[in-house]
């Protein structure tokens, strides 16, 4: 759905041959990130504005720095493969008071663990999750599927052809991740664990 | 009048529909807390790790007899576990007892002579514990991330957004609409002479037909058309059923605005 739109816009924009100052580009990028309902990616921005990706990235960095510099209540975030304007977390109380919302129900420890296993081991089957957690995870998997944090990723070519699961885009959004590579490596936790456990 | 409302609620309660009342899940109390509620453990490995930490034991040299005893003591206290989970806890208990008994066996003297590394029966368990603990820590990291994430907000939807700035309405919004209509109904004096019953299936069909025809249906408008309490209740349940089947979406253009049923 994105493609035809961006193609049209691209040809229109290229025809115009942009002659913008860097400041104008930063302003335009800000405006587009602002109106975009979902995080907007570098490529889409570049297509719409008829600019090089590098120029877009520089503009976003500039914009982000400006926000930081003036201690703005907003921030530019890179999330789920795009950019987004969001409020800074320290203002959550006042914002919630205004929006009259409460933080949504948190995931249980069991669900979080199951999600962690899926995030790091994907695509992963239910028996593989059981192996690591040592406990049935069916309820957690259902909760995670309901919350659309995980998706079925086809069947594994093994005995019984078990279903494999992986994380979704919603997962990236809800956990503020640019992409899966932004997750700290599981080996980092290993160091943490063994240094904490080695008493002797 | 008040009586009538309770009658309607009663009528409503007759229909047992699965609201899927998922109770909010509570994140376990911190490990450092003294008061640990039974059943807060995410699994047998979690419990085992907790006991090892509580005993301040070295994970690479678990005092297996002591930990096994503690473990058995704890699972006896567990009452509100579902059967599948309880089974996993019991499997671990059996594993612990197996390791304990293996530890009691004298070492193979030949193995010692040849200076082969003593195969500790606890090794497999330790490996599993360490592997599990990595993911447990990762789960903690995810928890922190989502907490921060929930504290950041993006702009409110704009008029120009696709779907026209609608928010998803919940079952509770539906109930509010329903109550309003019931209240209005009560104000009208009405004689119910005919007793023409419309079944739930018919009502669902009517509502579905309407949605297909017009693309969306204003719920309060639809409820207003109902002539009796019975019909009203049936209409309400039909709306719930249709939403549950996920063929339509409940949308509300603004807070406290009209609720629309729209084709998904």
């Amino acid at each position: 759905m994105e493609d035809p739109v961006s193609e049209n816009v691209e040809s229109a924009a290229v025809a115009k041959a942009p002659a913008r100052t860097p400041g104008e580009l930063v302003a335009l990028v800000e405006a587009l990130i602002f109106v975009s309902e979902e995080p907007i990616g570098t490529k889409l921005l570049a297509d719409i504005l008829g600019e090089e990706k590098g120029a877009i990235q520089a503009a976003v960095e500039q914009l982000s720095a400006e926000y930081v510099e003036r201690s703005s209540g907003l921030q530019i975030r890179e999330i789920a493969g795009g950019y987004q304007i969001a409020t800074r977390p320290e203002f959550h109380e006042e914002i919630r008071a205004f929006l009259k919302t409460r933080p949504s129900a948190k995931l249980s420890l069991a669900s979080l663990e199951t999600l962690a296993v899926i995030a790091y081991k994907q695509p992963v089957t239910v028996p593989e999750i059981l192996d690591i957690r040592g406990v049935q995870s069916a309820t957690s998997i259902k909760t995670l599927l309901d919350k659309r944090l995980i998706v079925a990723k086809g069947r594994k070519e093994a005995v019984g052809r078990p279903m494999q699961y992986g994380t979704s885009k919603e997962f990236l959004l809800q956990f503020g991740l640019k992409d899966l590579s932004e997750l700290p490596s599981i080996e980092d936790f290993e160091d943490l664990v063994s240094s904490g456990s080695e008493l002797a | 009048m008040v009586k009538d409302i309770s009658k309607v609620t009663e009528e409503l309660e007759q229909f047992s529909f699965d609201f899927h009342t998922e109770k909010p899940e509570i994140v376990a109390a911190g490990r450092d807390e003294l008061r640990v509620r039974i059943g807060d453990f995410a699994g047998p490995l979690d419990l085992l790790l907790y006991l090892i930490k509580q005993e301040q034991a070295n994970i690479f040299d678990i005092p297996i007899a002591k930990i096994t005893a503690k473990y058995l003591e704890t699972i006896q206290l567990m009452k509100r576990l579902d059967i599948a989970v309880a089974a996993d806890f019991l499997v671990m208990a059996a594993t612990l007892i197996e390791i304990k008994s293996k530890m009691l066996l004298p070492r193979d003297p030949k193995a010692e002579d040849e200076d082969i590394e003593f195969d500790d029966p606890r090794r497999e368990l330790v490996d599993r514990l360490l592997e599990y603990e990595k993911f447990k820590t990762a789960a903690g990291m995810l928890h922190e991330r989502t907490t921060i994430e929930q504290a950041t907000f993006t702009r409110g939807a704009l008029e120009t957004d696709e779907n026209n700035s609608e928010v998803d309405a919940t079952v509770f919004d539906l109930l509010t609409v329903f109550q309003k209509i019931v209240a209005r109904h009560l104000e009208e004096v009405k004689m119910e002479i005919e007793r023409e019953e419309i079944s739930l299936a018919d009502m669902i069909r009517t509502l579905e037909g309407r949605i297909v025809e017009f693309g969306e249906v204003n719920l309060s408008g639809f409820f207003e058309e109902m002539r009796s309490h019975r019909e009203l209740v049936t209409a309400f349940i039909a709306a719930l059923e249709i939403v549950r089947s996920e063929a339509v979406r409940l949308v509300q253009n603004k807070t406290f605005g009209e609720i629309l049923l729209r084709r998904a």
Side-chain angles (χ1 to χ4, degrees), chain A residues 18 20-32 45-46 49-60 62-63:
Chain A
R20 305 183 180 106
T21 67
E24 280 169 358
L25 182 59
V26 171
L28 263 170
V29 165
E30 182 180 29
L32 287 172
L45 282 169
L49 297 174
E51 298 271 356
E52 294 297 316
K53 276 192 190 178
I56 299 291
Q57 266 156 9
V60 173
Q62 166 73 27
L63 182 62

Side-chain angles (χ1 to χ4, degrees), chain A residues 34-36 77 84 86-87 92 96 103-104 106-108 113 132-136 173-176 193 200, chain B residues 25 27 42 44-45 58-59 88 128 132-135 137 141-143 145-146 149-155:
Chain A
F34 173 73
V35 293
S36 176
R77 305 169 72 228
Q84 183 187 55
T87 62
H92 73 106
R96 286 212 176 99
S104 50
K106 292 203 170 89
L107 290 169
S108 69
E113 269 182 29
I132 292 175
R133 292 197 56 230
V135 66
Q136 306 286 329
L173 283 171
Q174 285 202 21
F175 289 85
V193 167
Chain B
E25 294 171 292
V27 173
L45 291 168
N58 182 353
I59 195 161
D88 292 319
R128 279 187 72 194
Y132 166 72
E133 195 166 21
K134 277 193 288 184
F135 289 97
T137 319
M141 176 274 301
L142 288 178
H143 175 65
R145 288 203 82 105
T146 184
E149 202 47 42
Q150 286 200 352
T152 63
F153 297 82
T154 54
R155 65 164 170 79

